[in-house]
Amino acid sequence: MQMKHVTGMFRIIHALLAFFFASAAVMLIVIAVGSGWHAFVGTHDQAAAQAIIEAVGLLAAAVVALQIAETIVEEEIVRDADISGPTRVRRFLSRFFVVVIVALGIEGLVATFKALHDSPEQSLYAASIIAATGVLLAAWGCFVYLNRVAEELEPQAMADAKSEDERLK
């Protein structure tokens, strides 16, 4: 089997994965809108506030799924990128980490509100999500800082990535 066929097969698999992530995002949005609407038209009490907060958490998860789908499409299908260079790795991981960190931060807030109002024994769970989010943010910052040094060793890789961005616009 030629390498061209294997590469084509991987592109099809990546397209399917992107479709599944996008489909999951749409379902999460539908569920979030439904639960948010029920809270909006119902009584305006603590339960409604909790339902809205949980809907926001679902929307954050939908954003993560959509961002992953978009990243797969752009990096693996449209660009057909080889992420072996430091610039590509940094850009790929940064796109992913931004969304994951924001979603985890929102989930930590949702868990905090839930623990405060419904079950205080879940406070440790909420605190661990927020702490893990902070650790991820710090690790990402270290990665970007250390990767910048590697990028300076390969200025052509950065120029190639920037020219690719211009072509896609």
Side-chain angles (χ1 to χ4, degrees):
M1 188 183 289
Q2 292 181 342
M3 193 59 175
K4 187 186 270 187
H5 294 320
V6 172
T7 304
M9 200 167 58
F10 277 120
R11 289 178 102 180
I12 290 170
I13 292 169
H14 280 116
L16 282 171
L17 286 171
F19 173 76
F20 292 143
F21 274 110
S23 298
V26 169
M27 286 305 301
L28 286 170
I29 291 168
V30 168
I31 293 167
V33 168
S35 65
W37 179 254
H38 287 296
F40 182 74
V41 298
T43 59
H44 297 126
D45 56 3
Q46 284 291 49
Q50 189 64 36
I52 295 292
I53 290 168
E54 288 178 12
V56 168
L58 288 173
L59 289 173
V63 169
V64 170
L66 275 177
Q67 185 64 43
I68 291 171
E70 181 184 11
T71 301
I72 289 171
V73 168
E74 287 183 6
E75 297 293 331
E76 300 296 338
I77 298 169
V78 173
R79 291 181 196 222
D80 195 22
D82 176 24
I83 62 166
S84 60
T87 301
R88 292 220 185 275
V89 170
R90 179 189 53 78
R91 291 173 66 163
F92 184 81
L93 287 178
S94 290
R95 287 182 69 175
F96 180 71
F97 268 114
V98 140
V99 176
V100 168
I101 288 171
V102 168
L104 282 173
I106 292 170
E107 181 63 29
L109 289 174
V110 168
T112 301
F113 287 129
K114 191 177 252 185
L116 287 173
H117 297 290
D118 292 341
S119 48
E121 66 275 0
Q122 293 295 317
S123 297
L124 185 59
Y125 167 73
S128 67
I129 291 174
I130 292 171
T133 304
V135 169
L136 270 176
L137 185 60
W140 176 37
C142 289
F143 171 76
V144 169
Y145 176 77
L146 295 172
N147 195 266
R148 184 184 51 82
V149 175
E151 286 178 355
E152 290 172 359
L153 296 174
E154 292 184 7
Q156 185 58 40
M158 179 61 97
D160 291 346
K162 285 182 179 178
S163 69
E164 209 172 71
D165 288 343
E166 289 300 317
R167 282 195 315 257
L168 288 176
K169 287 182 180 176

